[in-house]
């Protein structure tokens, strides 16, 4: 394998690895962008200055992102532990109650339309290998599929995406704090956030295999609704408290 082929192979492996976790990247990004923009909109509605918006935005970004990633990690780990527990139970049943388990295999494939000699052949093939037998029981009887993705990387991808995409609504305020822009910060932030929604909405269509336009519009509308609600709540509370 020459140098160019080796580089292409590495890129292909990286893309395949990213593709496995693209769902977590998309939904982590959507959540990060929506919640952070909602914080910004609520703060603007309440008339808070840029420094407060940055503090609230980053507090939300880091804390909510961490909570979401931990939730994703624990959920995946719990599913994997539950799968392994049931798999060990199936191994015990195959080893200690083979006749009953064999009959269950027969019933499963009989319900699929197999009968007679073909049914018995299928049963013999499946039960001739313990690993195949247990995997079949897990899939057909318990309807459980093994999660082959790392809980750590599911959590990490969620957190990275939440922070990366969720940072977009705050960029304008951070830049303004360092070097004052003195322009419509919320408008600029809204435009950048809309671009973030477009990117992440486009990626969502890759997962759902739906129309790109539909995915983008759904994400934009949901983000817009969340921001509008936050803005008006912030504005209302500010009037109630200071009025």
């Amino acid at each position: 394998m020459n140098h160019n082929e080796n580089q292409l192979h590495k890129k292909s492996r990286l893309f395949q690895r990213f593709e496995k976790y693209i769902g977590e990247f998309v939904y982590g990004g959507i959540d990060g962008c929506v919640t952070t923009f909602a914080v910004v909109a609520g703060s603007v509605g309440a008339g808070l200055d840029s420094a407060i918006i940055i503090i609230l935005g980053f507090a939300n970004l880091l804390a909510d992102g961490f909570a979401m990633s931990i939730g994703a990690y624990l959920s995946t780990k719990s599913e994997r532990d539950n799968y392994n527990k049931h798999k060990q139970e199936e191994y015990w049943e195959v080893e200690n109650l083979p006749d009953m388990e064999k009959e269950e295999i027969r019933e499963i494939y009989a319900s699929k339309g197999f009968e007679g000699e073909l049914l018995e052949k299928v049963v013999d093939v499946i039960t001739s290998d313990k690993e195949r037998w247990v995997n079949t029981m897990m899939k057909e009887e318990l309807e459980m599929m093994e999660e082959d993705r790392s809980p750590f990387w599911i959590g990490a991808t969620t957190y990275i995406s939440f922070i990366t995409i969720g940072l977009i609504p705050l960029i304008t305020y951070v830049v303004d704090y360092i070097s004052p822009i003195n322009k419509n910060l919320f408008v600029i932030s809204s435009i950048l956030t809309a671009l973030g929604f477009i990117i992440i909405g486009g990626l969502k269509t890759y997962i759902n295999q739906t129309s790109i336009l539909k995915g983008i519009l759904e994400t934009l509308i949901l983000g817009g609704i969340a921001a509008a609600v936050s803005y008006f709540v912030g504005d209302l509370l500010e009037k109630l408290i200071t009025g």
Side-chain angles (χ1 to χ4, degrees), residues 24-43:
E24 282 68 35
F25 185 87
V26 167
Y27 294 114
I30 290 173
D31 200 35
C33 205
V34 168
T35 56
T36 307
F37 189 51
V39 169
V40 170
S43 300

Side-chain angles (χ1 to χ4, degrees), residues 203-227:
L203 280 174
K204 188 176 76 168
T205 63
Y206 178 81
I207 300 171
N208 298 338
Q209 298 296 306
T210 55
S211 162
I212 292 179
L213 182 60
K214 180 183 177 182
I216 290 172
L217 285 176
E218 282 180 350
T219 310
L220 279 172
I221 290 169
L222 289 173
I225 292 171

Side-chain angles (χ1 to χ4, degrees), residues 118-152:
L118 179 58
L119 174 60
E120 294 307 315
K121 186 174 182 180
V122 168
V123 172
D124 288 342
V125 169
I126 291 172
T127 58
S128 65
D129 182 276
K130 192 181 294 183
E131 181 71 15
R132 185 191 302 130
W133 190 351
V134 169
N135 286 338
T136 302
M137 295 298 288
M138 293 295 295
K139 181 180 178 181
E140 301 293 345
E141 182 189 28
L142 301 180
E143 298 182 348
M144 296 179 72
M145 297 293 291
E146 184 173 14
E147 175 60 81
D148 64 344
R149 299 178 305 162
S150 162
F152 171 81

Side-chain angles (χ1 to χ4, degrees), residues 148-169:
D148 64 344
R149 299 178 305 162
S150 162
F152 171 81
W153 283 113
I154 285 177
T157 303
T158 301
Y159 192 51
I160 291 168
S161 174
F162 191 100
I163 290 178
T164 304
I165 308 300
L167 186 63
I168 293 174

Side-chain angles (χ1 to χ4, degrees), residues 105-115 119 136 139-140:
I105 290 288
R106 185 175 288 106
E107 290 173 0
I108 288 169
Y109 281 89
S111 69
K112 294 177 182 290
F114 291 87
E115 57 184 26
L119 174 60
T136 302
K139 181 180 178 181
E140 301 293 345

Side-chain angles (χ1 to χ4, degrees), residues 1-242:
M1 184 181 293
N2 60 39
H3 178 71
N4 289 335
E5 289 176 338
N6 190 43
Q7 289 296 107
L8 287 172
H9 181 65
K10 285 181 179 178
K11 288 179 181 178
S12 176
R13 285 176 60 189
L14 284 172
F15 177 76
Q16 288 173 1
R17 183 172 295 179
F18 174 72
E19 194 174 32
K20 288 175 67 175
Y21 300 97
I22 193 171
E24 282 68 35
F25 185 87
V26 167
Y27 294 114
I30 290 173
D31 200 35
C33 205
V34 168
T35 56
T36 307
F37 189 51
V39 169
V40 170
S43 300
V44 172
L48 303 179
D49 62 37
S50 294
I52 301 299
I53 291 174
I54 291 170
I55 291 169
L56 293 176
F58 274 95
N60 167 80
L61 193 64
L62 297 173
D64 280 9
F66 184 73
M68 186 179 180
S69 64
I70 288 296
Y73 167 81
L74 292 176
S75 175
T76 307
K77 189 174 184 301
S78 177
E79 287 179 11
R80 178 178 284 188
D81 291 344
N82 187 48
Y83 179 90
N84 290 333
K85 183 190 78 171
H86 282 87
K87 190 169 186 178
Q88 290 305 313
E89 290 174 356
E90 286 298 329
Y91 267 115
W92 185 91
E93 290 176 0
V94 164
E95 290 172 355
N96 295 276
L97 304 168
D99 292 338
M100 186 178 75
E101 292 298 294
K102 194 169 187 177
E103 183 58 31
E104 287 181 359
I105 290 288
R106 185 175 288 106
E107 290 173 0
I108 288 169
Y109 281 89
S111 69
K112 294 177 182 290
F114 291 87
E115 57 184 26
E117 187 178 339
L118 179 58
L119 174 60
E120 294 307 315
K121 186 174 182 180
V122 168
V123 172
D124 288 342
V125 169
I126 291 172
T127 58
S128 65
D129 182 276
K130 192 181 294 183
E131 181 71 15
R132 185 191 302 130
W133 190 351
V134 169
N135 286 338
T136 302
M137 295 298 288
M138 293 295 295
K139 181 180 178 181
E140 301 293 345
E141 182 189 28
L142 301 180
E143 298 182 348
M144 296 179 72
M145 297 293 291
E146 184 173 14
E147 175 60 81
D148 64 344
R149 299 178 305 162
S150 162
F152 171 81
W153 283 113
I154 285 177
T157 303
T158 301
Y159 192 51
I160 291 168
S161 174
F162 191 100
I163 290 178
T164 304
I165 308 300
L167 186 63
I168 293 174
L170 292 172
I171 290 174
T172 304
Y173 293 92
V174 172
V175 171
D176 178 68
Y177 184 77
I178 296 170
S179 178
I181 298 174
N182 296 323
K183 291 189 178 179
N184 296 323
L185 300 182
F186 186 60
V187 173
I188 297 172
S189 177
S190 299
I191 293 170
L192 292 176
T193 301
L195 291 174
F197 282 140
I198 289 171
I199 293 169
I200 210 73
L203 280 174
K204 188 176 76 168
T205 63
Y206 178 81
I207 300 171
N208 298 338
Q209 298 296 306
T210 55
S211 162
I212 292 179
L213 182 60
K214 180 183 177 182
I216 290 172
L217 285 176
E218 282 180 350
T219 310
L220 279 172
I221 290 169
L222 289 173
I225 292 171
V229 170
S230 297
Y231 181 89
F232 288 113
V233 168
D235 182 54
L236 177 64
L237 290 175
E238 191 269 339
K239 288 175 179 175
L240 288 173
I241 293 170
T242 62

